[in-house]
Amino acid sequence: MARRRIETLTDAEKALMPKCVEEWTKIGLSTQAADRPRAEAAIRQMYAQAKLKEPRIIWCGSPLSMALTRYVLTRPEFKDALGKEASVGDSVGDSVGDSVGDSVGASVWASVGDSVGDSVGDSVGASVYGQHDASWLAFYWYFHEIRLREETAPLGGMWELARTAGWALPCDGICFVSERTSTLHRDEGGRLHCENGPALAYPDGFEIYAVHGVRVPSEIVMHPEAITIDAIHEQRNTEIQRVMIERYGWDRYADDCRAEIVDYDERFGTLCRRVTPRGEPILFLRVVNGSPEPDGSFRKYILPLAPNLEPLPDPEDRNARLGAGQELTALNAVASTYGMRGEDYAALVVRT
């Protein structure tokens, strides 16, 4: 097959990008039940493309049960009963995807495809198999639609599988395939998030609980009233620990944790620190709002701070970190929430 190189796009081809992003984002985030006849036809097409015999197809309720089913059926005792059909071979998806990648990769100028792949990837996330392959399948689908039909044609089965089912594990003579997600909740940033139930769930009961993208045990979401100070301090994962404090309530935590006062500044607040039994610090700032409420009172609130001194990668994150090399002072802590150093923030406050 003659290879073609694409270095520029026409205006009409560029205009197709948003439609492609929208279509494949919906595919990746779909919670509709799998279309089993179409998915099975797609799997047979994938096997035919890889020049393998038609497989036996086994449906499972989630990727977890799919993996467990494969494990059970590929044990020696089941191999003897099922014969070669239960032996695990090379992934059909890999063999098809690699051949298409070699062909299209030589044809597409890398910078052209980034906007499609990255846009979908940001919304869907890059996982493996089925609907969760949407981020990279969208890239090839886009070029299939504009010019490279022959080069991308071998991906037809994988595109159809993504549109109709969840993950799949293609093996020699047998293919395990999962239902799609039945529940999916995200926050405004596209991260898995739900504060009163699973953020992601499958029909067989497999669930994932997450708060703003942090995967947590189910009890943290479902029973926040059971969270204790000791449990917070014993948690080894700092991201989960932060979620536990948020669920417990920062105001309540500040009152209950018996923190030491690191620094007090009548203008900028009280910097507090609680060192856990494992020697890890939890920092927060008690702040009094400089502007009075309608009733004349001054609102008090808590600013949680990250324990290290590196700048935050996300300036919108409320868990502000102190700027590198700065002392642990209330002024520097407040300044860090604005991405500034203490002396610069103090000078700004004086000027305004």
Side-chain angles (χ1 to χ4, degrees):
M1 181 188 302
R3 292 182 173 180
R4 294 179 289 162
R5 188 175 183 85
I6 298 177
E7 297 188 11
T8 60
L9 297 176
T10 67
D11 289 342
E13 289 170 341
K14 292 178 182 177
L16 183 63
M17 281 190 180
K19 179 181 177 182
C20 180
V21 170
E22 180 181 5
E23 175 185 356
W24 282 92
T25 298
K26 289 180 179 178
I27 290 171
L29 300 177
S30 176
T31 56
Q32 295 181 351
D35 186 331
R36 295 194 176 194
R38 284 180 60 188
E40 292 178 7
I43 290 169
R44 289 190 288 270
Q45 183 179 349
M46 290 164 57
Y47 273 72
Q49 179 64 42
K51 295 181 172 56
L52 296 175
K53 71 176 183 179
E54 185 174 306
R56 175 185 299 183
I57 297 173
I58 296 180
W59 280 91
C60 304
S62 70
L64 176 61
S65 61
M66 181 178 67
L68 293 173
T69 302
R70 184 182 67 166
Y71 170 77
V72 170
L73 293 184
T74 54
R75 291 180 61 81
E77 56 268 35
F78 285 96
K79 285 184 181 181
D80 294 338
L82 296 177
K84 188 179 179 182
E85 285 190 327
S87 64
V88 178
D90 292 334
S91 165
V92 175
D94 287 345
S95 64
V96 175
D98 289 346
S99 65
V100 175
D102 291 341
S103 176
V104 178
S107 303
V108 178
W109 190 248
S111 62
V112 175
D114 286 347
S115 60
V116 178
D118 290 348
S119 295
V120 178
D122 288 343
S123 296
V124 179
S127 188
V128 293
Y129 301 125
Q131 72 179 115
H132 293 153
D133 267 337
S135 57
W136 73 267
L137 287 175
F139 174 88
Y140 292 110
W141 174 253
Y142 173 77
F143 287 101
H144 172 81
E145 289 294 280
I146 63 170
R147 300 188 204 180
L148 304 178
R149 290 188 174 271
E150 184 178 0
E151 294 88 341
T152 58
L155 279 174
M158 298 188 74
W159 284 325
E160 185 68 358
L161 179 67
R163 291 187 176 99
T164 57
W167 295 16
L169 289 176
C171 303
D172 183 9
I174 187 169
C175 184
F176 305 91
V177 58
S178 166
E179 275 286 345
R180 287 191 285 211
T181 54
S182 55
T183 298
L184 177 64
H185 299 288
R186 302 182 301 150
D187 63 14
E188 293 180 355
R191 299 170 296 186
L192 287 178
H193 173 75
C194 187
E195 297 185 2
N196 57 10
L200 183 146
Y202 283 85
D204 65 357
F206 173 53
E207 299 173 332
I208 291 176
Y209 291 80
V211 177
H212 295 301
V214 178
R215 187 169 176 176
V216 298
S218 60
E219 58 268 20
I220 292 178
V221 171
M222 301 306 295
H223 299 289
E225 73 282 356
I227 297 174
T228 65
I229 291 290
D230 288 342
I232 290 172
H233 293 161
E234 290 168 3
Q235 175 55 241
R236 293 181 176 273
N237 184 296
T238 56
E239 288 297 300
I240 295 178
Q241 183 182 70
R242 174 178 57 80
V243 173
M244 292 176 72
I245 297 176
E246 290 173 354
R247 301 289 285 171
Y248 187 86
W250 270 104
D251 286 340
R252 182 183 169 202
Y253 176 79
D255 291 336
D256 295 350
C257 73
R258 299 184 300 279
E260 64 171 315
I261 296 177
V262 177
D263 183 53
Y264 168 74
D265 188 305
E266 63 179 8
R267 296 176 301 167
F268 303 112
T270 304
L271 181 62
C272 302
R273 174 173 55 197
R274 175 62 161 89
V275 179
T276 71
R278 294 185 293 109
E280 296 179 350
I282 298 175
L283 293 172
F284 58 91
L285 188 69
R286 290 181 177 269
V287 182
V288 177
N289 194 345
S291 300
E293 299 295 310
D295 63 0
S297 64
F298 290 84
R299 180 173 175 265
K300 299 179 181 180
Y301 56 97
I302 304 295
L303 286 178
L305 304 163
N308 58 43
L309 302 182
E310 294 301 319
L312 272 180
D314 180 4
E316 298 299 321
D317 197 324
R318 295 294 294 173
N319 299 294
R321 304 168 194 255
L322 298 178
Q326 295 195 81
E327 294 183 59
L328 291 177
T329 66
L331 167 60
N332 289 338
V334 171
S336 71
T337 67
Y338 297 97
M340 302 175 64
R341 297 184 65 84
E343 57 268 26
D344 297 329
Y345 178 75
L348 178 65
V349 170
V350 169
R351 288 197 301 269
T352 57

